[in-house]
Amino acid sequence: MAEVKADLKKMKGISEKDQRMLADAETLMGPDPSELGFIKNVFRGNMREEMVFPYPEQDAEQTARCDQLIAELDEYMRNEHPAIQIDQEQEIPRWVIDRLFSMGVMGMTISREHGGLGMGVTSYVRVLEKIGEFCGSTAVLVSAHQSIGCKAVMLFGNEEQKQRWLPRLAKDWVSAFCLSEPNAGCDAGGQESHCELTEDGEHYILNGEKKWATSGAISGLFTVMAKQKMEDGKEKVTALVCTPEMEGVDIFSKNRSKCGIRGTWQARIRFKNVRVPKANLLHKEGKGLKVALTCLNYGRCTLSAGMLGSAHRCMDQSIKWSRTRYQFQRPLSEFDLMQQRIANMASLCYAMDAMLYMTTGFLDRHDEDIMVETAICKTFCSEMGWRVVNDAVQIMGGESYMTENEVERAFRDSRINLIVEGANEVMQAFVFGYGGKSLAEQMVGVQERLLWNAEEGFGANVGRIFKSMTDMRVMSLAAPLGLELFLGLKKAAPKITKVHPSLSGPASRIAWLIREHSHQFKIASKINKEKILERQTVQARVGDVGIYVHAMVCTLSKLDQQIRAGHDGPDFDRDKAAAMHFFEMAEEWIQDRWRGIHKNTDESMRKAAAAAIAHNDTLPTNRFVVPERSPVATGQGRTPDQTSIKQFPGDGYQPRTGKQLTEQAHEHHAS
């Protein structure tokens, strides 16, 4: 039976700007999956228990292999890894990269057939979490290489491409992912780079510029996204593989000095009439955004892993400090406000861990519709991880601010995570829009069939409405929707039955919250109508609730697994108390977001913002830094003074032979 749904772009009253935004989003996201993922069901008020219970686990063989690798990595990170040097000198030494290659870390998800370790996403994320405990820069290097850089070849390369590139990417080539541009950041579809096929069909001519390509200056392979004109005249993104020795490739900026993750190098790369062989096309022409967005699903998990490792480390360090630092004749940990921060850190770390490894479970079992879930994972872990690190800084006081202290470095390294892989504000709107899209289409579809349309004639309205009222497909949706929106009669809450009996209380509360979340989405849509498309404050409130509910479900599932496995002792006591506190905190946040739908400061906020913007418009632009490619102020802003900032001229990528790698390793160990 066909679904009752509407084209949101054709909603009455929607602006042309919003129509274009929705059309661009549809192009970006592609066709809807055949089966709705977990979060889209939550927006509909449904609980798909089989998707999240039992909590995902790895097979024993891979767990044992990963445990062995983590033990070796832990020994290296604690005793040899130059984390402070990397941060201070703003560069990860090549011997460190080679050491990671030799351990198998840089190729652990590449198949054994192609020279890697052939491990799954969960194992890989466990390794990233361990690296994140000690060095944010190195975590980003490994993540950018394997989660987005060479992941495109792993997922979309044909067999010839895999045989050609993956063995090098597993052993000594670092890779880079070239998506962002001066004018294309979170707007991934706004690429300005172009490629076109030569008349003989043998090459693509690539022109454009990429920005923020992590490890670009030391990479042996780039995955590049560029617009291409299709046969129908439309421009779509195509993914190409380039190498640094190609004529016309200019890495004209190796790196810029940064606040955090200082050891990573973000390059700027210019492509001028680069002839890319047709054999370097990844996937299909015009399907580059599918390549990019699929890779970002993995990148968002590994970013979360590095953040989780750092948060765990900072939590443990600051709690130890609170037990050994005495003020007013007692340890800091005895003060109620310090206990509040300690409890928050423990609860957020537990929830982050639960969500992260639930998400890697989705990826390892190849769930189809997981883009909202990976976006939630990135948003939640980056925000909550930042809060944990900030709490650790506050607990340790002035000492945490000292450069030699790992908490100070973690504080700087963590902040970028709220920006990269999709700024959190964009992710909030994405969770609302894409998570609720199916429900919104259904609601508008019912409205279009049953409500009077002033733009139609009397007969057309009567005929359409009468026909819809005799269509059981329409009325089976319209009747409960009308009762809910106008009489407050909500459908029954879903059931959560697959949990340990001791967790029936939290399970019942979460089921109620899922029902109420769907209701509040409908209410917010009714209140704001088409205006909701431009009111990101409303979108963020609803999106946040989806994020928090998902975090609660993941936490419940993980705790259920631990109870059933018979966990006990101080570790489990901490985990259970942390989980129970998180349930309380998250529900408090959710109630706050729901209150904001009905009573908020949005109108005064908009007036205050408008006044501040109007005042700023009176200030001379030449006093301030502005975007280099601004459509309204290019060349008018202040040029920052970089004379005292370390520059990175670099020597570019130099391919290493097996002999050179062996000699370099011997030199390092000898020193």
Side-chain angles (χ1 to χ4, degrees):
M1 183 183 291
E3 255 197 298
V4 177
K5 57 188 297 187
D7 184 345
L8 298 181
K9 301 189 300 299
K10 297 179 181 178
M11 276 194 304
K12 185 180 177 182
I14 188 173
S15 68
E16 290 186 12
K17 185 184 296 184
D18 286 333
Q19 285 179 340
R20 287 195 301 271
M21 180 186 70
L22 288 173
D24 290 344
E26 287 180 0
T27 301
L28 183 67
M29 305 310 301
D32 290 334
S34 58
E35 182 181 19
L36 296 182
F38 181 75
I39 294 300
K40 290 178 184 175
N41 272 283
V42 167
F43 270 82
R44 283 176 170 251
N46 303 326
M47 174 68 188
R48 291 285 302 275
E49 283 190 276
E50 74 280 4
M51 290 183 167
V52 291
F53 291 100
Y55 194 75
E57 292 184 334
Q58 286 184 295
D59 66 84
E61 184 272 337
Q62 184 160 150
T63 298
R65 290 175 59 212
C66 187
D67 287 346
Q68 186 175 2
L69 176 59
I70 288 176
E72 179 184 0
L73 182 64
D74 184 77
E75 179 72 18
Y76 161 74
M77 296 298 296
R78 288 182 189 279
N79 300 313
E80 293 184 60
H81 188 72
I84 295 175
Q85 174 191 332
I86 287 170
D87 181 63
Q88 294 293 304
E89 297 185 4
Q90 304 183 54
E91 179 179 4
I92 299 175
R94 182 68 209 197
W95 72 261
V96 170
I97 299 173
D98 292 338
R99 182 66 177 275
L100 295 170
F101 271 117
S102 69
M103 281 190 280
V105 169
M106 297 291 276
M108 63 178 300
T109 60
I110 295 174
S111 68
R112 291 177 174 180
E113 174 190 357
H114 298 111
L117 299 183
M119 291 191 182
V121 180
T122 298
S123 293
Y124 172 46
V125 164
R126 288 181 63 201
V127 167
L128 260 295
E129 183 186 345
K130 174 58 65 177
I131 296 172
E133 283 185 37
F134 299 94
C135 184
S137 291
T138 304
V140 171
L141 167 84
V142 176
S143 175
H145 165 66
Q146 204 163 174
S147 301
I148 55 177
C150 65
K151 182 63 73 174
V153 178
M154 293 167 58
L155 295 176
F156 295 98
N158 57 42
E159 192 52 42
E160 187 277 331
Q161 291 171 332
K162 291 179 181 178
Q163 292 286 355
R164 180 157 40 124
W165 294 317
L166 290 183
R168 295 304 302 265
L169 293 168
K171 297 301 181 185
D172 73 314
W173 273 10
V174 177
S175 59
F177 189 69
C178 298
L179 177 64
S180 296
E181 300 183 355
N183 272 339
C186 292
D187 180 11
Q191 304 292 300
E192 295 179 349
S193 297
H194 276 81
C195 67
E196 58 183 41
L197 200 59
T198 56
E199 289 186 7
D200 61 10
E202 294 299 316
H203 291 82
Y204 295 95
I205 305 302
L206 173 64
N207 284 281
E209 183 181 317
K210 296 294 178 178
K211 191 176 183 180
W212 311 124
T214 297
S215 304
I218 59 172
S219 290
L221 179 146
F222 314 133
T223 303
V224 183
M225 304 297 157
K227 284 279 183 69
Q228 180 185 4
K229 183 171 286 189
M230 301 288 104
E231 290 184 358
D232 61 4
K234 295 181 179 179
E235 288 193 330
K236 296 183 179 179
V237 176
T238 291
L240 301 173
V241 171
C242 299
T243 50
E245 74 278 1
M246 288 179 174
E247 186 175 351
V249 174
D250 178 19
I251 306 174
F252 67 96
S253 174
K254 313 298 180 182
N255 191 24
R256 287 168 67 187
S257 186
K258 300 179 291 295
C259 168
I261 57 167
R262 291 165 67 85
T264 62
W265 282 26
Q266 284 72 38
R268 296 188 65 166
I269 308 174
R270 189 178 291 120
F271 301 94
K272 185 175 181 181
N273 295 325
V274 179
R275 292 175 64 84
V276 183
K278 180 71 179 292
N280 286 26
L281 168 68
L282 274 181
H283 196 30
K284 299 175 182 177
E285 292 182 341
K287 299 293 184 181
L289 279 179
K290 179 176 176 61
V291 175
L293 294 175
T294 302
C295 290
L296 286 174
N297 285 334
Y298 294 86
R300 285 168 179 161
C301 282
T302 49
L303 177 151
S304 301
M307 183 71 260
L308 176 60
S310 180
H312 267 139
R313 180 88 168 169
C314 291
M315 174 183 70
D316 290 341
Q317 168 60 64
S318 62
I319 294 176
K320 185 62 70 178
W321 183 272
S322 77
R323 299 294 295 149
T324 55
R325 169 68 167 169
Y326 276 62
Q327 291 287 278
F328 307 103
Q329 293 81 50
R330 52 180 172 161
L332 294 181
S333 60
E334 289 188 6
F335 291 94
D336 211 38
L337 287 176
M338 291 297 101
Q339 291 181 8
Q340 183 182 51
R341 291 188 185 274
I342 291 168
N344 288 351
M345 290 191 299
S347 299
L348 295 180
C349 281
Y350 187 88
M352 289 164 62
D353 186 286
M355 181 183 287
L356 174 59
Y357 289 104
M358 178 70 79
T359 311
T360 63
F362 295 156
L363 287 165
D364 275 332
R365 75 187 185 201
H366 308 294
D367 285 11
E368 180 187 7
D369 189 14
I370 57 166
M371 199 170 289
V372 182
E373 287 76 8
T374 58
I376 284 177
C377 184
K378 182 270 170 181
T379 308
F380 183 80
C381 290
S382 62
E383 172 63 35
M384 301 308 163
W386 167 252
R387 293 186 192 181
V388 170
V389 174
N390 190 56
D391 278 341
V393 168
Q394 193 68 19
I395 289 171
M396 292 183 65
E399 193 63 37
S400 70
Y401 220 59
M402 299 300 104
T403 302
E404 73 273 11
N405 193 299
E406 59 198 353
V407 174
E408 180 269 344
R409 188 172 69 251
F411 184 77
R412 289 185 287 106
D413 288 346
S414 298
R415 187 58 182 84
I416 191 65
N417 292 329
L418 283 74
I419 300 170
V420 295
E421 304 279 9
N424 283 7
E425 291 82 358
V426 175
M427 293 294 97
Q428 288 172 302
F430 175 74
V431 171
F432 165 84
Y434 200 51
K437 177 175 179 284
S438 171
L439 177 57
E441 288 173 338
Q442 186 182 91
M443 291 171 62
V444 175
V446 169
Q447 175 181 304
E448 287 181 348
R449 286 162 174 79
L450 289 172
L451 296 188
W452 194 271
N453 186 344
E455 296 178 1
E456 290 183 0
F458 178 83
N461 269 299
V462 171
R464 171 177 51 79
I465 294 171
F466 180 78
K467 180 181 178 181
S468 297
M469 291 179 69
T470 59
D471 186 338
M472 291 306 298
R473 180 174 54 100
V474 175
M475 295 310 296
S476 66
L477 296 171
L481 182 61
L483 290 171
E484 183 173 350
L485 289 177
F486 297 101
L487 297 179
L489 300 177
K490 308 165 193 174
K491 71 175 187 177
K495 302 290 185 183
I496 300 179
T497 62
K498 299 180 183 293
V499 295
H500 191 271
S502 65
L503 296 176
S504 60
S508 295
R509 290 300 299 165
I510 292 171
W512 182 86
L513 291 169
I514 289 172
R515 191 268 302 270
E516 195 65 19
H517 171 54
S518 182
H519 175 68
Q520 293 293 340
F521 176 89
K522 296 167 190 170
I523 292 296
S525 300
K526 176 190 172 187
I527 292 171
N528 293 277
K529 299 185 173 63
E530 69 277 357
K531 289 290 185 183
I532 201 168
L533 292 172
E534 60 190 46
R535 291 176 177 169
Q536 284 83 35
T537 50
V538 180
Q539 295 176 21
R541 292 182 187 108
V542 179
D544 280 349
V545 173
I547 293 169
Y548 301 150
V549 167
H550 185 50
M552 293 176 79
V553 170
C554 295
T555 298
L556 181 69
S557 182
K558 180 178 173 64
L559 184 59
D560 172 73
Q561 178 208 51
Q562 290 178 296
I563 292 173
R564 292 179 187 276
H567 288 212
D568 57 14
D571 286 355
F572 177 68
D573 291 343
R574 179 200 63 182
D575 287 351
K576 184 176 181 181
M580 301 306 287
H581 182 52
F582 179 74
F583 293 144
E584 299 283 341
M585 285 199 304
E587 185 165 355
E588 186 175 290
W589 299 339
I590 288 169
Q591 296 289 354
D592 178 67
R593 296 302 186 276
W594 285 339
R595 283 191 292 271
I597 292 174
H598 304 276
K599 185 177 182 181
N600 54 63
T601 60
D602 290 355
E603 286 304 311
S604 61
M605 173 274 291
R606 293 186 185 105
K607 291 178 182 178
I613 291 168
H615 171 264
N616 188 269
D617 286 344
T618 67
L619 304 178
T621 302
N622 61 11
R623 294 182 185 176
F624 304 95
V625 176
V626 299
E628 60 185 287
R629 300 279 178 86
S630 168
V632 295
T634 296
Q636 299 177 30
R638 177 177 65 84
T639 301
D641 181 8
Q642 299 188 45
T643 54
S644 60
I645 296 176
K646 182 177 180 179
Q647 301 301 306
F648 303 87
D651 298 320
Y653 172 78
Q654 297 296 326
R656 288 167 167 76
T657 66
K659 181 180 178 182
Q660 287 173 321
L661 290 172
T662 301
E663 290 174 349
Q664 186 173 13
H666 285 322
E667 288 174 5
H668 167 64
H669 288 302
S671 63

